[in-house]
Amino acid sequence: MYVILPDKSKIEVKDGATVADVASAIGAGLAKAAIAGKIGDELVDLSDAVADGDKVSILTDKSPEALGIMRHSCAHVLAEAVQIIYPGTQIGFGPQTEDGYFYDFDLPEAVSSDDFEKIEAQMKKIIDAGEPFVKEVVSKDEARKIFKDQALKLEHIEELDGDLTIRRHGNFVDLCSGVHVPDASKIGAFKLMKIAGAYWKGDADNKQLTRIYGTAFFKQKQLDEYLHNLEEAEARDHRKLGRELEIYTMDNMAGVGLPMYLPKGAIIIRKLQDWLRADLIERGYEEVITPHIYNADVWKTSGHYDFYKGNMYFFNINEGSDEEPKLSEYGVKPMNCPGHVMLYKAKQRSYRELPLRFFEFGTVYRHEMSGVVHGLLRARGFTQDDAHVFCTREQLVDEVVDILKLVDHIMTTFDFEYEAEISTRPEKSIGTDDMWDHATSVLKQACEVHNLKYDINEGDGAFYGPKIDIKVKDAIGRTWQCSTIQVDFNFPERFDLNYKTENNTLERPWMLHRAIFGSIERFLGILIEHYAGALPVWLSPVQLAILPIADRHLDAAYDLARKVKAAGGRVEVYEDSEPMRVKIAKAQAQKVPYMVVLGDKEIESGQVAVRERKAGDIGKMSIDDLIKEITC
């Protein structure tokens, strides 16, 4: 019989051949490197049989799917090792994850991360033995016998229908229909990462199990790089740096997920806003300001009352008197769109006014579960650099292109690499086929005009229109979703928006939602981690630290500080009587871009000795040149 290879060539194999036999027929090198296969689009084991005419691909450690397959196999090795070390262990589920894998256990004794070393040593023995992962299909009755001592598995078996797939490895066996590497020798470098509690099947009414997380890579170098990046990420954690650099704080008395900015943080936020505001005005945007609360009728008209109420904060206001109360329901805004729509509708619009671009730095509030709130990256209260564009159908491409140019300006300013993803129509949606086809085509065309590569995320658009998501890559390779450009068919219809055409008829405008930073809080958190707290000079809350050598130099230090402030610079004088090395260390810890050492010689010469936070001593500089350096 013949099977078809990815290059569409055919290769002959014997009847009953497996994926491994196909790999061998292609070549001995591929057979040795193979870890799994694909028949059509389905992942399969090397031991799975192929049929005449099947399209067969061989996966090696270079294949995109390979890492997940290997990690899942490593999870089984973890469970096998744990059962060897702790006899009587009951096993739960053990899937791969984005960064590795985990396994849930009901253990006969307490286990902590201190035990990882001996578990890893047992895992290494299992891997070195190189035993095969063997797949079997058994009936439910057979499965009950196999797992007679595994209470969690017996419970799970009763929830399944038909014959079941199990996976054996040495003396270890588990219910598993997933794909595995052929044998344990294909598992590369691994490490156990952390331990946590987890309820069986994620249900808090069930027993709490012990979850052990691990990761694995095909090469030790890849694991080392991953661990290094984790250390880097921990050192760059914006929550830690935000506290140390006195940028923001959280207070439990205020409530969960409500950041409060200290003076230095307020400077950064205002600099970001002022910078973007000036740029937007140049690009034809008009700034607006809208209320923080609206009557519930607004949210009913917008649809948020029906579809988003659980994420909003509602309350009643007595708009009558104590004697004759009249309660009206209000909601705190989770987004700025309804206000901008109502401003559009404040008067009859003409085609001559379009495109109309409203922007606002609007603070919004959304109810997030306390367990997912994460510093500035996910908060309950945050400010969006929100904008909405109202335009004609013909203007849509140019408007999206202009927004992409703005995205490029912002992201390249901060040295971010970025990519785009276009999300298309989901199953449940509003709008006609023509509207969706046109809007999606516009987003693609705009990316192409802008020479921006994009991926398609099929069916993941909002119910009211397709969108472009911009994903940025930071200094240590992590990807963050930031900017969004969203076509909206919903609001113009719900709020009955229109404009007068050249022929004096009424038409619906097209509407774009657009945020570049997204949440300013989140963007700041990303910036802090991207720069490890050492923000660009123009954005640093303190640009210059003046370090007087002795108390007699304080007056000159404050004179210099006044000159810098007068020129628009931000400066601090380190006036404490401390050794110079201590003052320098403090300025370094605060990530201050420039430091000047001020003593008798500097005062007499009119030049100051300058230190840069990364380069160290950069020599002497006149005061005027120094001011230009930090205020350019």
Side-chain angles (χ1 to χ4, degrees), residues 325-489:
K326 180 186 176 184
L327 297 181
S328 295
E329 190 177 22
Y330 280 74
V332 181
K333 66 177 179 181
M335 48 198 67
N336 300 297
C337 340
H340 294 193
V341 169
M342 287 187 285
L343 288 173
Y344 177 92
K345 203 174 178 182
K347 68 173 188 176
Q348 178 62 59
R349 302 289 177 179
S350 162
Y351 73 94
R352 292 185 179 89
E353 296 177 77
L354 305 184
L356 186 64
R357 308 178 187 100
F358 287 151
F359 82 93
E360 176 178 15
F361 297 111
T363 301
V364 298
Y365 298 88
R366 298 177 187 176
H367 177 63
E368 300 280 6
M369 299 300 290
S370 59
V372 301
V373 170
H374 184 80
L376 299 179
L377 299 181
R378 192 157 184 178
R380 287 179 174 170
F382 52 92
T383 301
Q384 291 183 304
D385 65 313
D386 230 341
H388 295 89
V389 178
F390 304 91
C391 63
T392 68
R393 179 186 177 106
E394 294 73 27
Q395 293 167 335
L396 205 57
V397 173
D398 288 342
E399 289 304 303
V400 177
V401 170
D402 285 345
I403 294 169
L404 291 175
K405 289 178 181 177
L406 176 59
V407 168
D408 188 68
H409 172 59
I410 301 292
M411 298 311 166
T412 55
T413 295
F414 294 111
D415 302 317
F416 283 126
E417 297 178 14
Y418 67 93
E419 55 191 27
E421 182 178 81
I422 297 177
S423 296
T424 61
R425 188 174 191 169
E427 285 187 22
K428 294 183 179 179
S429 60
I430 63 168
T432 65
D433 289 344
D434 174 67
M435 294 171 77
W436 275 92
D437 290 345
H438 179 66
T440 306
S441 173
V442 160
L443 298 185
K444 292 177 181 178
Q445 186 179 342
C447 287
E448 288 158 8
V449 169
H450 192 61
N451 293 319
L452 175 61
K453 292 182 179 179
Y454 59 86
D455 292 324
I456 297 293
N457 189 4
E458 292 287 356
D460 202 42
F463 75 92
Y464 51 80
K467 63 177 179 173
I468 299 175
D469 286 324
I470 300 296
K471 299 182 178 182
V472 303
K473 186 176 288 187
D474 70 11
I476 57 174
R478 296 173 300 180
T479 299
W480 306 87
Q481 199 276 306
C482 285
S483 312
T484 296
I485 305 165
Q486 173 83 61
V487 182
D488 189 345
F489 310 135

Side-chain angles (χ1 to χ4, degrees), residues 170 296 309 321 445 491 497 546 598:
K309 189 175 182 181
S321 63
Q445 186 179 342
F491 269 46
L497 303 187
I546 302 174
L598 196 61

